[in-house]
Amino acid sequence: MRRTNFKGVIIFLGLTVCYVLGEADLGLDTTKPKILDGKNVPNNPTRHAVKSIQSEDGDIIDCIDIYKQPSLDHPSLKNHIIQLAPSYNPNMEEIQTSEQPLRSVTSQVWQKSGSCPKGTIPVVRRRTHNDDELLSNSRKKNPLTVHQRNHSKAILLTEGYNYAGVKADIKVWNPHVESDDEYSTSRISLRSGPWYDFESVEAGWAVNPGVYGDRQTRLFIYWTVDASKKTGCFDLTCPGFVQTSHEIALGAAIYPISVFRGLPYQITLFIFKDPNTNNLWVQYGERTNIGYWPPKLFKTLTYGAECAEWGGDVYSSKLEQVPHTETQMGNGNFPDYIDGNSGYMKRMRILDISLNLKFPEWVGTYADEYWCYQSQYVSDYVVDPEFYFGGPGRNDMCP
């Protein structure tokens, strides 16, 4: 299949375009962060904490009653009945029929200091003296709420079908982030709708000092229902995502981190739709179902996604200009399929509408700024196709 790339647009000839960038060229004003109305920011969830855990990295984890979590404050979730577990295991067929490779998996730092009891969910207390103020301000200043402009992506994507899930093993790094208002992520994503008004959900790891108050590598989720014009937030900072796990904390630091010539530590993430409830679940490590986005939050994603993505994303106001930001993607190296010394994703899967978990029938690569951040798809001489991505940002070819 032929593929054409030009000015932030990727087109698969004969198919609908899913991934389009370049709103600034069309005269759209996307310079301001877009958030939910401030009056809808939930009250301080720590008031419902039944236990608090002091993590060695400085975080405080509050164990909140699952039925009093702030996500249930969303107006669409009034009288919502929590689904405590998916109605089926979408991994079962692959686990039974395929040889599982050896993988070095990660955990979360706070788990070394304690655990939350069943019936609660772990919530990271934000690093501020006024939690309510940060819940509001972190979203106002949150670069994850500004999609498209000021973003540089290097991704692998597939489209043309109806997708019920996306999955990958994601190598975990700790990239350099130059400024507090910038960030770097590696994530998987499902997306549906036109580029100017799409719905999307994401899951991965991020180094985001503007949101988390430090430069640790942290687990995150993100969602929007209108291309981040008026909605969009990450983790549990706004109502919507219903958490069910008492083991994994969204926004908590991940450890260990990969180092060159060391073990390739990674996280396995899976976003999938429950066929019986249409809830969009996030699964961690192929065994822990963190929680879900209820279908009432969406219009099109409820019926399946038009596009699935794997790869990296850098946010900065210093993109496509001189000097370029030095914020790194992956670990700061360009794709390295020989030694694996870069960002990568392996065991990439989509869940089709018939609930078959498989590698997509075709894929394409995309990079916003080729000389700053690159993408490389490898399918020859490997058991399973692999995707490598990353870059240093500013360098001799990207001044």
Side-chain angles (χ1 to χ4, degrees), residues 114-129:
S115 62
C116 285
K118 293 183 178 180
T120 68
I121 63 169
V123 177
V124 179
R125 188 185 302 180
R126 303 302 170 186
R127 298 188 177 199
T128 176
H129 295 295

Side-chain angles (χ1 to χ4, degrees), residues 135-339:
L135 282 170
S136 175
N137 290 345
S138 66
R139 289 167 55 223
K140 291 180 181 178
K141 299 175 182 178
N142 174 24
L144 282 171
T145 62
V146 189
H147 276 248
Q148 313 304 322
R149 191 176 180 183
N150 295 336
H151 280 247
S152 190
K153 296 184 179 181
I155 61 170
L156 183 76
L157 73 158
T158 185
E159 62 173 353
Y161 297 91
N162 194 331
Y163 304 102
V166 60
K167 178 182 179 181
D169 295 336
I170 309 173
K171 191 169 186 179
V172 179
W173 294 101
N174 184 245
H176 167 71
V177 173
E178 183 177 43
S179 302
D180 286 350
D181 60 352
E182 300 179 345
Y183 81 83
S184 179
T185 72
S186 293
R187 85 290 185 277
I188 57 174
S189 174
L190 290 176
R191 177 170 162 171
S192 189
W195 62 267
Y196 54 86
D197 195 31
F198 62 84
E199 300 178 349
S200 71
V201 291
E202 301 179 6
W205 60 257
V207 176
N208 192 333
V211 170
Y212 299 116
D214 60 23
R215 282 171 165 76
Q216 294 191 88
T217 301
R218 295 174 177 268
L219 177 70
F220 86 97
I221 61 168
Y222 175 85
W223 66 284
T224 180
V225 298
D226 60 359
S228 299
K229 293 193 293 291
K230 293 183 179 180
T231 68
C233 71
F234 63 101
D235 303 341
L236 301 179
T237 56
C238 73
F241 184 84
V242 178
Q243 182 159 342
T244 59
S245 172
H246 68 283
E247 299 176 309
I248 299 296
L250 295 170
I254 300 170
Y255 92 101
I257 302 297
S258 301
V259 294
F260 182 49
R261 300 195 186 283
L263 291 175
Y265 290 102
Q266 58 193 34
I267 56 175
T268 300
L269 288 172
F270 189 8
I271 303 174
F272 66 94
K273 185 175 75 168
D274 188 311
N276 296 313
T277 63
N278 286 331
N279 290 329
L280 275 171
W281 282 87
V282 177
Q283 186 182 83
Y284 180 93
E286 296 187 302
R287 70 174 186 88
T288 303
N289 298 301
I290 300 176
Y292 59 88
W293 291 282
K296 288 186 177 181
L297 300 176
F298 307 101
K299 294 181 179 179
T300 57
L301 272 181
T302 299
Y303 304 101
E306 298 172 356
C307 181
E309 295 180 6
W310 303 261
D313 183 10
V314 166
Y315 170 86
S316 173
S317 60
K318 296 180 288 185
L319 301 174
E320 298 182 343
Q321 61 179 269
V322 179
H324 192 278
T325 180
E326 291 182 340
T327 291
Q328 300 172 342
M329 180 188 294
N331 68 344
N333 290 332
F334 288 120
D336 177 9
Y337 70 92
I338 302 297
D339 295 321

Side-chain angles (χ1 to χ4, degrees), residues 78-112:
K78 185 177 181 181
N79 300 322
H80 177 75
I81 298 176
I82 296 177
Q83 181 184 9
L84 296 178
S87 62
Y88 85 117
N89 182 1
N91 290 301
M92 188 58 64
E93 182 177 353
E94 184 179 42
I95 292 173
Q96 291 177 344
T97 60
S98 64
E99 181 180 350
Q100 297 298 302
L102 294 176
R103 299 186 300 275
S104 301
V105 297
T106 64
S107 183
Q108 294 189 307
V109 176
W110 73 273
Q111 294 171 336
K112 294 189 282 185

